[in-house]
């Protein structure tokens, strides 16, 4: 896949990173026997939907030498570790927090981090609604990643409170409609952000449509956000 990495992301994994990707794949397959982690188990599909897709959202926004990029990142609702684990492997100087509300997924991830010797990633069990109100995490991150967690305004409410001023939320989506842009504009304004860009692209093997929504935090998020557990999904902004 070296050529596709190069053509699409102007980047190639080192031999060590390739070995880590392979090991990650094997660990996910093994974990899948006990936990329902992912329905994506075919090697090419895993490469495209878990590895390539995870990195496509973030690498283009980090200009320059990736080995020097050292942002503080949080991946909200990371599940089996996507996009967070491939990002941790690719950006050795970043520090990344992998957040999920399900203890058994986090236990699985703790094992993955040990097996892969990924010292720049740590796990956190909790709900985005609670974590966003903790002093330790609120306004603490340069980048917040979120993929397949909920409606886009819910994603905005989970991500923006956690960002430092000037920080970037990256919301990974499949399809995207104009109505979603309208709903999002309203939510983002209330949360102290702006929509910086919405990018459409196709995946390199199956040519599926993807979107990435980039939100920039430009003002302090009012203290009532994120609202209590369940409210963001029940009453989206
Ligand atoms: N991001 C992964 C997993 C998506 S599934 C991927 O793209 O493959 C959604 C995950 O979000 C689940 O693991 C679920 O436990 C977690 N989740 C849902 N709501 C959450 C919340 N409010 N706070 C933290 N995690 C949440």
């Amino acid at each position: 896949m070296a050529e596709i990495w190069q053509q699409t992301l102007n980047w190639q994994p080192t031999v060590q990173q390739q070995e880590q990707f392979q090991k990650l794949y094997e660990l996910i397959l093994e974990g899948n026997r006990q936990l329902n982690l992912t329905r994506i188990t075919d090697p090419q599909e895993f490469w495209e939907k878990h590895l390539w897709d995870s990195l496509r959202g973030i690498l283009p926004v980090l200009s320059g030498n990736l080995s020097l990029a050292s942002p503080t990142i949080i991946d909200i609702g990371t599940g089996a570790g996507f996009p967070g684990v491939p990002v941790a492997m690719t950006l050795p100087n970043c520090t990344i927090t992998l957040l999920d509300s399900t203890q058994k997924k986090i236990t699985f991830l703790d094992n993955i981090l040990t097996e892969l010797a990924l010292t720049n990633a740590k796990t956190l069990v909790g709900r985005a609604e609670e974590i966003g109100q903790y002093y330790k995490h609120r306004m603490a991150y340069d980048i917040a990643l979120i993929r397949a967690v909920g409606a886009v305004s819910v994603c905005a409410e989970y991500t923006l409170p956690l960002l430092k001023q000037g920080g970037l939320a990256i919301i990974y989506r499949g399809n995207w409609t104009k109505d979603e842009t309208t709903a999002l504009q309203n939510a983002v304004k209330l949360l102290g952000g702006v929509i910086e860009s919405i990018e459409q692209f196709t995946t390199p093997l199956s040519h599926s449509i993807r979107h990435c929504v980039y939100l920039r935090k430009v003002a302090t998020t009012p203290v009532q956000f994120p609202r209590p557990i369940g409210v963001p999904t029940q009453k989206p902004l």
Side-chain angles (χ1 to χ4, degrees):
M1 298 299 183
E3 210 167 294
I4 306 183
W5 283 122
Q6 188 61 45
Q7 279 169 6
T8 55
L9 296 180
N10 193 25
W11 171 84
Q12 281 186 32
T14 62
V15 172
Q16 194 206 348
Q17 284 165 335
Q18 287 173 38
E19 284 167 6
Q20 280 189 321
F21 287 161
Q22 179 65 34
K23 197 158 180 200
L24 175 65
Y25 175 59
E26 287 162 13
L27 290 167
I28 297 268
L29 287 189
E30 202 180 300
N32 238 3
R33 288 194 210 114
Q34 282 142 30
L35 293 171
N36 190 12
L37 294 168
T38 177
R39 48 172 190 82
I40 297 165
T41 53
D42 168 74
Q44 293 219 343
E45 217 188 341
F46 181 87
W47 180 86
E48 181 180 64
K49 304 221 164 89
H50 281 333
L51 301 179
W52 186 87
D53 189 66
S54 291
L55 298 177
R56 169 61 182 82
I58 184 168
L59 293 197
V61 302
L62 301 170
S63 51
N65 188 337
L66 290 182
S67 63
L68 295 177
S70 54
T72 309
I73 307 176
I74 186 163
D75 180 18
I76 300 165
T78 188
F82 302 103
V85 169
V87 170
M89 291 170 173
T90 306
L91 303 176
N93 287 334
C94 80
T95 19
I96 182 156
T97 301
L98 307 169
L99 170 69
D100 204 279
S101 52
T102 308
Q103 176 67 60
K104 60 180 191 191
K105 290 191 180 164
I106 291 296
T107 305
F108 168 78
L109 279 177
D110 281 334
N111 180 46
I112 291 239
L113 298 185
T114 309
E115 291 277 337
L116 296 172
L118 281 175
T119 52
N120 59 334
K122 52 180 179 261
T123 59
L124 180 63
V125 186
R127 301 267 320 198
E129 300 94 313
E130 289 177 313
I131 298 300
Q133 292 294 353
Y134 292 165
Y135 175 75
K136 188 176 168 206
H137 296 284
R138 193 176 176 91
M139 294 186 69
Y141 297 92
D142 299 305
I143 298 176
L145 308 172
I146 190 162
R147 189 178 87 163
V149 174
V152 73
S153 55
V154 174
C155 294
E157 189 166 351
Y158 288 171
T159 51
L160 284 166
L162 292 163
L163 292 174
K164 298 175 191 169
Q165 189 108 349
L168 189 68
I170 307 179
I171 306 177
Y172 291 66
R173 310 296 292 181
N175 287 322
W176 184 257
T177 62
K178 278 214 175 92
D179 287 352
E180 283 175 290
T181 308
T182 313
L184 182 62
Q185 257 155 357
N186 184 43
V188 161
K189 202 169 166 193
L190 291 168
L191 294 162
V194 291
I195 303 176
E196 185 158 282
S197 60
I198 299 172
E199 269 189 47
Q200 181 183 316
F201 52 90
T202 49
T203 61
L205 301 182
S206 64
H207 308 288
S208 320
I209 297 280
R210 291 282 186 281
H211 291 81
C212 265
V213 178
Y214 297 92
L215 308 179
R216 185 70 64 183
K217 182 155 174 177
V218 292
T220 306
T221 303
V223 70
Q224 71 264 33
F225 301 118
R227 292 168 293 164
I229 288 177
V231 180
T233 41
Q234 284 149 22
K235 296 182 189 164
L237 290 174

